[in-house]
């Protein structure tokens, strides 16, 4: 049934139909799918409460009356935890339960003491940090103000990347803290690596069965939720599991010939995909490994590229699997474990064990997969044994550097290829190398859109302060394209940093044009390798402290995009210092001010 048929059959009033039609025109496909699931759950909740339908009749059959609240909280950096939380909520609703679903970034923490059953799905960002948007929640839960939680039951699903030393640290911290606050575990925590689908599904199924079983023992029948008719069901779906083959329209080097960096601007054609995005979103690229690295592994193992493999019921050759299915650059702990078993190497056996945990991270940083194979050769290894130690190749995410309002059916990327030497051999990043070295114009690239709801433009007219270094300037190009195309009046201030003015001033002519027409109000730049003392964006912020604080006091939103290890912490510290000095408050009050900016979504970060 189409949306218009729903109206004509009398399911909606004219006013309701007009509201639905207006909303539908603003939704992305992913938002449409989410709201479809939301209304399905709402329908089930109303049914259980005995609310009459549009015909005035009560829904048939007995309804479950939950005796305990059930809440799902997620802390997500790239969207995986958000997706899993939505799937879990849907599965629970299908069994007649009524969970509430919240991003911890918007969850009202004062509710914690009122909760009964909590399910937490938490990602880990970088070296053990919570997702950027979840930092205020973690600070509250781990702080002195957190309430005692006796009587609360909880379970944690932790997502992480085992190539990092503090694997699944975010979920571990929540699990331990909730237990310390007196809450009771429903299930032991489950830690998931980047191939999280199967263990997450098993965890979710166990949780759903537990709550469904408890509902059955209350002697009140529970009725599965009916799927609501959705006017959005026919929308095309391209996502991480079904990417769209985008054509490369442009691939330009955008730094001067004497630059010490290689920065590129790439334009992708999304025509016919149905993909939609907002400024601040990212594009996922399902890149392939370098054919040269594939051949190195085949040579090192003595295996034929034609050797057959069975991957979850699908047949493939080893060469094809190494090219597009497995991560063959960075090694993970599972590869050490597998290769220790195959080779019998004492050093690898030590690194694979608990006693070698502190040394394992450093070893993995110095050895790729092929380096381990060469250092500890195994005679007669077969394709299945090699594949057993490899992780699935994950898409790489890049901030989108364009607005659909300015460049319809396109997505632009700004990237600097990752290049370095290891064991006297040149190495290149998987996706950045694919794009820079093999991304010919006219070739196709599997892509999807990754929503980033925590890096969004504010309402029209609200001032914005944007801080970015290098390719971290990409989303700000999208911000200003959007504002220019929509004719939005609102002050904007960009702090931009790079190495050299003459060779590395990315998108210089565009910033200048926006300054000339007023789309960009102010711009401060820092070029660290030009003559004179080294200067970075945080230095320019401190030099403009009075004005920056005045903008914040007038309601400006503050954005940071770029390097997570150095730039972002330095900018954060500079922001606290500016608030402290300009407000005349002490350090603690300045930190509270910045925390309030974060919790109110006025301080947003997209760092990597």
């Amino acid at each position: 049934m189409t949306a218009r048929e729903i109206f004509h059959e009398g399911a909606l009033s004219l006013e309701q139909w007009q509201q639905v039609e207006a909303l539908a025109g603003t939704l992305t496909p992913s938002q449409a799918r989410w709201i479809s699931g939301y209304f399905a759950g709402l329908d089930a909740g109303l049914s259980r409460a005995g609310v009459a339908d549009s015909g005035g009749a009560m829904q048939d059959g007995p309804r479950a009356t939950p005796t305990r609240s059930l809440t799902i909280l997620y802390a997500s950096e790239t969207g995986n935890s958000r997706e899993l939380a939505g799937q879990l909520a849907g599965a629970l609703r299908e069994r007649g339960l009524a969970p509430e679903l919240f991003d911890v970034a918007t969850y009202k923490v004062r509710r914690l003491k009122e909760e009964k059953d909590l399910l937490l799905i938490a990602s880990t960002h970088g070296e053990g940090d919570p997702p950027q948007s979840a930092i205020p929640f973690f600070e509250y839960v781990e702080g002195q103000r957190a309430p005692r939680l006796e009587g609360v039951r909880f379970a944690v699903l932790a997502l992480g990347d085992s190539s990092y030393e503090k694997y699944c640290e975010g979920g571990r911290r929540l699990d331990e803290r909730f237990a310390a606050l007196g809450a009771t575990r429903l299930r032991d925590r489950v830690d998931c690596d980047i191939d999280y689908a199967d263990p997450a599904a098993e965890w979710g199924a166990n949780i759903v069965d537990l709550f469904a079983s408890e509902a059955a023992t209350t002697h009140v029948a529970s009725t599965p939720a009916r799927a609501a008719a959705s006017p959005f069901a026919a929308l095309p779906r391209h996502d991480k599991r079904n990417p769209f083959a985008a054509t490369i329209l442009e691939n330009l080097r955008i730094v001067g010939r004497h630059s010490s960096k290689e920065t590129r601007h790439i334009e992708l054609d999304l025509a016919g995909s149905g993909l939609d995005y907002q400024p601040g979103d990212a594009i996922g690229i399902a890149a392939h490994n370098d054919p040269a690295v594939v051949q190195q592994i085949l040579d090192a193992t003595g295996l034929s590229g034609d050797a057959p493999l069975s991957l979850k019921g699908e047949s493939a050759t080893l060469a094809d699997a190494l090219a597009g299915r497995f991560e063959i650059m960075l090694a993970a702990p599972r590869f050490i474990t597998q290769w220790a078993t195959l080779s019998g190497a004492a050093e690898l056996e030590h690194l694979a064990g608990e006693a070698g945990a502190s040394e394992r991270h450093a070893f993995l940083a110095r050895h790729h997969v092929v380096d381990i194979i060469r250092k500890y050769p195994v005679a007669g290894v077969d394709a299945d044994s090699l594949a057993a130690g490899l992780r699935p190749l994950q898409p790489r995410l890049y901030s989108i550097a364009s607005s659909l309002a300015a460049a319809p059916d396109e997505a632009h990327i700004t990237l600097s290829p990752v290049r370095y030497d290891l064991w006297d051999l040149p190495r290149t990043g998987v996706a950045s190398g694919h794009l820079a070295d093999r991304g010919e114009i006219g070739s196709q690239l599997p892509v999807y859109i990754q929503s980033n709801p925590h890096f969004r433009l504010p309402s029209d007219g609200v001032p914005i302060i944007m801080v970015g270094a290098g390719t971290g300037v990409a989303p700000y190009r999208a911000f200003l394209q959007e504002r220019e195309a929509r004719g939005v009046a609102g002050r904007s201030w960009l702090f931009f940093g790079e190495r050299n003015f003459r060779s590395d001033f990315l998108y210089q002519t565009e910033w200048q044009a926006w300054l000339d027409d007023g789309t960009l109000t102010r711009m401060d730049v820092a070029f660290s390798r030009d003559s004179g003392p080294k200067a970075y964006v945080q230095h320019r912020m401190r030099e403009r402290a009075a004005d920056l604080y005045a903008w914040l006091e007038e309601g400006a939103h503050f954005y940071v995009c770029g390097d997570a290890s150095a730039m972002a912490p330095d900018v954060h510290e500079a922001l606290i210092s500016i608030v402290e000095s300009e407000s005349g408050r002490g350090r603690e009050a300045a930190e509270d001010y910045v925390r309030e900016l974060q919790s109110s979504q006025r301080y947003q970060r997209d760092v990597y």
Side-chain angles (χ1 to χ4, degrees):
M1 180 180 292
T2 66
R4 196 165 295 278
E5 287 168 343
I6 291 172
F7 165 61
H8 284 304
E9 290 195 8
L12 298 177
S13 68
L14 175 60
E15 182 181 1
Q16 288 173 324
W17 164 245
Q18 289 171 338
Q19 292 172 338
V20 168
E21 192 171 48
L23 175 62
T26 68
L27 295 174
T28 66
S30 60
Q31 290 172 325
R33 291 190 295 273
W34 183 91
I35 205 167
S36 174
Y38 169 80
F39 279 117
L42 180 62
D43 174 67
L46 292 174
S47 298
R48 283 190 298 276
V51 177
D53 67 11
S54 58
M58 298 294 289
Q59 297 295 315
D60 294 333
R63 305 298 171 193
T65 303
T67 58
R68 297 176 62 90
S69 63
L70 174 57
T71 301
I72 303 171
L73 300 179
Y74 64 86
S76 188
E77 185 69 35
T78 62
N80 294 331
S81 292
R82 180 171 66 246
E83 180 183 17
L84 290 173
Q87 292 171 355
L88 177 60
L92 287 163
R93 287 166 183 153
E94 287 177 0
R95 300 289 289 272
L97 297 156
E100 291 189 274
L101 177 64
F102 295 98
D103 184 337
V104 297
T106 57
Y107 177 75
K108 303 301 183 184
V109 291
R110 62 178 178 272
R111 284 187 44 156
L112 269 180
K113 63 180 180 295
E114 302 167 2
E115 299 289 2
K116 297 300 182 183
D117 292 325
L118 274 172
L119 305 176
L120 301 109
I121 303 179
S123 298
T124 298
H125 181 56
E127 293 291 354
D129 296 324
Q132 297 295 317
S133 61
I135 290 175
F137 178 81
F138 273 72
E139 290 179 342
Y140 176 82
V141 168
E142 296 177 331
Q144 295 297 318
R145 298 178 181 176
R148 296 294 302 171
L149 297 176
E150 284 86 357
V152 175
R153 301 186 305 175
F154 75 101
V156 175
L157 180 70
L159 271 59
D161 182 341
S162 63
S163 63
Y164 288 94
E165 185 174 6
K166 294 184 177 180
Y167 170 55
C168 288
E169 180 75 359
R172 183 197 63 78
R173 284 168 57 181
L174 290 180
D175 181 61
E176 294 183 357
R177 181 57 174 163
F178 272 72
L181 291 172
T184 302
R185 290 186 180 91
L186 286 160
R187 289 284 188 272
D188 288 340
R189 185 184 78 248
V190 171
D191 293 344
C192 301
D193 206 344
I194 58 174
D195 48 346
Y196 57 82
D198 289 344
E202 182 179 357
W203 178 85
N206 289 335
I207 290 293
V208 171
D209 287 344
L210 169 67
F211 283 106
S213 175
E214 289 186 348
T217 64
T218 64
H219 305 294
V220 179
S222 66
T223 303
R226 293 186 294 109
S230 171
F232 314 112
L235 288 170
R237 180 181 177 88
H238 286 289
D239 56 16
K240 184 177 181 179
R241 295 168 186 80
N242 179 34
F244 172 73
T247 300
I248 298 178
L249 300 172
E250 197 65 84
N251 191 338
L252 298 171
R253 181 184 170 100
I254 57 171
V255 290
R257 73 176 76 178
H258 299 299
S259 175
S260 58
K261 299 181 70 174
E262 178 189 354
T263 304
R264 308 191 74 85
H265 173 84
I266 296 167
E267 299 182 359
L268 302 171
D269 184 4
L270 303 181
S273 68
L275 291 174
D276 193 7
Y277 64 85
Q278 297 183 48
D281 285 344
I283 191 163
I285 296 178
H288 277 55
N289 288 304
D290 187 342
V293 178
V294 173
Q295 191 59 51
Q296 289 170 8
I297 289 179
L298 293 175
D299 292 343
T301 57
L303 289 166
S304 167
D306 295 327
L309 275 178
S310 178
L311 304 172
K312 294 186 177 181
E314 297 180 20
S315 297
T317 66
L318 178 59
D320 287 343
L322 293 177
R325 302 287 291 271
F326 290 123
E327 174 65 69
I328 62 171
M329 290 285 289
L330 300 178
R334 74 172 68 172
F335 189 77
I336 292 180
T337 300
Q338 176 69 356
W339 213 251
T341 300
L342 296 173
S343 67
E347 183 180 2
L348 291 182
E349 290 176 349
H350 169 71
L351 291 169
E354 192 65 34
S358 61
E359 304 161 58
R360 189 164 54 232
H361 182 67
F363 178 87
L364 290 171
R366 298 194 309 270
H367 295 82
H368 288 182
V369 170
V370 71
D371 302 319
I372 297 172
I373 294 172
R374 288 169 173 166
K375 191 170 183 178
Y376 307 99
V378 175
V381 66
D382 59 72
D384 289 323
S385 296
L386 171 65
L390 300 174
R391 301 190 303 173
L393 181 61
Q394 296 297 302
R396 270 52 171 182
L397 297 176
Y398 291 92
S399 298
I400 299 176
S402 58
S403 161
L404 284 174
D409 292 327
E410 294 181 11
H412 301 173
I413 304 170
T414 312
L415 70 86
S416 290
V418 176
R419 302 191 193 278
Y420 54 98
D421 288 339
L422 184 63
W423 301 106
D424 298 323
L425 291 174
R427 315 293 172 114
T428 306
V430 173
S432 63
H434 184 155
L435 288 163
D437 301 335
R438 306 186 303 281
E440 296 86 2
I441 293 175
S443 63
Q444 292 188 322
L445 198 65
V447 304
Y448 64 97
I449 298 300
Q450 181 63 62
S451 175
N452 187 2
H454 301 298
F455 205 78
R456 287 281 185 261
L457 278 167
S459 303
D460 292 354
V462 174
I464 56 176
I465 302 169
M466 304 165 285
V467 183
T471 59
V473 80
Y476 306 140
R477 183 176 183 264
F479 280 10
L480 295 187
Q481 280 190 356
E482 178 79 5
R483 281 193 157 187
E484 179 186 42
R486 294 178 48 229
V488 173
R491 292 179 298 159
S492 57
W493 188 353
L494 175 63
F495 290 89
F496 170 65
E498 250 297 359
R499 291 181 179 177
N500 298 103
F501 171 81
R502 292 190 177 277
S503 59
D504 302 313
F505 200 158
L506 307 183
Y507 303 115
Q508 179 182 4
T509 57
E510 295 185 33
W511 307 126
Q512 187 60 57
W514 281 321
L515 283 167
D516 291 342
D517 68 17
T519 302
L520 181 59
T521 310
R522 296 182 62 165
M523 184 172 189
D524 284 278
V525 296
F527 294 100
S528 60
R529 299 194 182 180
D530 281 348
S531 59
K534 280 194 173 184
Y536 299 99
V537 286
Q538 63 268 23
H539 297 118
R540 296 291 179 257
M541 287 171 54
R542 293 177 188 273
E543 292 168 1
R544 309 289 186 264
D547 287 348
L548 195 155
Y549 180 68
W551 278 49
L552 292 176
E553 285 290 275
E554 292 161 10
H557 285 222
F558 186 82
Y559 300 87
V560 180
C561 184
D563 171 51
S565 62
M567 188 275 284
D570 289 344
V571 167
H572 185 78
E573 176 59 32
L575 180 61
I576 293 173
S577 296
I578 288 167
V579 172
E580 181 180 9
S581 63
E582 296 304 316
S583 68
R585 307 170 185 174
R587 171 78 184 194
E588 185 175 347
E591 290 175 346
D592 287 342
Y593 183 100
V594 171
R595 273 193 290 268
E596 176 57 30
L597 290 178
Q598 291 176 308
S599 63
S600 62
Q601 303 295 300
R602 287 181 53 206
Y603 175 12
Q604 301 183 30
R605 307 204 304 178
D606 181 10
V607 299
Y608 39 85

